[in-house]
Amino acid sequence: MRLNLTLAVGIAFAVALSLIAGKVWLPAEAWRVGDPRFLIIFELRMPRTVLALLIGAALGLSGAAMQGYLRNPLADPGLFGVSAGAALGAVLSMFFGFALSAWLLPAFALTGAAATMTLLALLAGRSASVLVFTLAGVIVSSVAGSMTALAISLAPTPFAASEIVTWLLGALTDRSWDDVLLALPIIGVGAACIAFTGRALDVLTLGEAAARSMGVDRLRLQWLIVTGVGLCVGASVAAAGIIGFVGLIVPHLVRPFVGNRPSATLLPSALGGALLLLLADSLVRAAPTVSELRLGIAMSMLGGPFFLVLLVRMRRKLA
């Protein structure tokens, strides 16, 4: 409870920072409704802030759920291949010129995520085996990634190829309330699915045999995880492109404060993900660069070394 309260307070300060930070910092006077600068806050920065909260929470929650289900502290939402599938759908919309409408690109991305979820469930079958499930995710991710690379190489114009690559890097630039309205209900449903898995994830730490003996339906749990993570990650990719490592970093940061119960890490991971993405987005906006650094690049620069440190620590424990 104390950790959740601390994270909530941190989010409140991060929201205020996000609304005033940028290449041009907005003073307190700009918050008056009659001030013309208030439009910048309400129409540009506020949707971006809300979207950062939603996406950060969705990715942090998805990472905690995956690490609990796979019982692997290095698991990340990208392992399912849902990110790659959603990205492929969005890339195809740009490849065929369907991205002119504000709703078509997200629709294609969500369709790609849904197709990936269905294919993943079909490959995993009814066994609900964690090993088969993980291998299926790796296969789907590899195939989707290769098809995305093919679409880039066969792009009809250099401008289309550049647009695809830029979108894949992930960012919250120029997002509006339409993007928030798109992501909010989908992430809400996905988060609700994951919330129902808490007890089963705790029991699963005792082993698969013990979980079955205690009445855990592995196939139902698998579908809840696939659906929840798929909706959360798919909506996030549809709204902002690929932003990685949030689901890897945040559960590791909150786990020492809540113990080893997977259910206890779900809510703190959602709050921590929202806080992390808010701070990262404020940083890339305020950084003294000629053009704004893409948020996906910033998170990769942070997550890569973090992943390496985790890997080294695990290797030392096993040695």
Side-chain angles (χ1 to χ4, degrees):
M1 181 63 70
R2 184 178 299 177
L3 174 61
N4 294 335
L5 181 60
T6 302
L7 290 171
V9 172
I11 288 173
F13 281 103
V15 166
L17 174 65
S18 177
L19 292 175
I20 65 173
K23 300 296 182 185
V24 177
W25 288 67
L26 297 176
E29 295 80 14
W31 286 79
R32 294 179 305 192
V33 177
D35 194 302
R37 291 171 294 183
F38 182 76
L39 289 175
I40 298 176
I41 296 176
F42 185 77
E43 295 293 343
L44 295 178
R45 294 193 177 177
M46 198 173 290
R48 182 168 181 167
T49 298
V50 174
L51 204 57
L53 281 170
L54 288 173
I55 293 175
L59 295 178
L61 180 64
S62 298
M66 280 200 59
Q67 291 177 16
Y69 177 70
L70 299 178
R71 285 166 288 167
N72 184 346
L74 298 181
D76 181 81
L79 182 64
F80 270 177
V82 179
S83 295
L88 176 60
V91 165
L92 290 177
S93 74
M94 289 183 277
F95 182 86
F96 292 110
F98 295 148
L100 297 177
S101 170
W103 294 97
L104 279 180
L105 188 146
F108 269 73
L110 289 171
T111 302
T116 302
M117 290 160 50
T118 303
L119 181 59
L120 185 62
L122 291 175
L123 289 175
R126 299 185 58 85
S127 65
S129 167
V130 171
L131 177 59
V132 174
F133 193 65
T134 304
L135 290 176
V138 172
I139 292 170
V140 171
S141 182
S142 176
V143 171
S146 63
M147 293 180 68
T148 300
L150 178 64
I152 294 173
S153 64
L154 297 178
T157 64
F159 174 77
S162 175
E163 184 182 20
I164 291 172
V165 172
T166 301
W167 186 86
L168 287 174
L169 295 178
L172 295 173
T173 309
D174 299 327
R175 296 308 187 264
S176 67
W177 288 112
D178 288 340
D179 298 289
V180 175
L181 293 175
L182 169 77
L184 178 60
I186 300 172
I187 290 176
V189 174
C193 291
I194 293 176
F196 282 112
T197 66
R199 178 189 171 277
L201 292 177
D202 289 343
V203 175
L204 196 59
T205 60
L206 302 175
E208 294 189 26
R212 281 195 297 270
S213 67
M214 295 179 70
V216 173
D217 186 342
R218 287 297 308 277
L219 189 60
R220 176 179 178 272
L221 175 60
Q222 176 179 293
W223 270 105
L224 282 174
I225 292 289
V226 170
T227 303
V229 173
L231 290 174
C232 286
V233 176
S236 300
V237 174
I242 297 178
I243 300 175
F245 291 104
V246 177
L248 173 68
I249 296 173
V250 176
H252 279 279
L253 295 180
V254 303
R255 193 172 287 117
F257 299 98
V258 298
N260 294 319
R261 284 195 305 122
S263 64
T265 66
L266 294 179
L267 179 57
S269 293
L271 295 174
L275 177 59
L276 175 62
L277 209 61
L278 266 177
L279 293 175
D281 187 52
S282 299
L283 179 63
V284 298
R285 272 189 286 149
T289 54
V290 177
S291 59
E292 184 179 307
L293 179 65
R294 309 296 289 185
L295 184 58
I297 296 176
M299 290 308 304
S300 295
M301 293 172 63
L302 176 64
F306 188 89
F307 183 83
L308 182 61
V309 170
L310 287 178
L311 197 60
V312 171
R313 285 182 178 179
M314 289 186 64
R315 182 183 176 186
R316 288 176 179 174
K317 290 180 180 179
L318 294 174

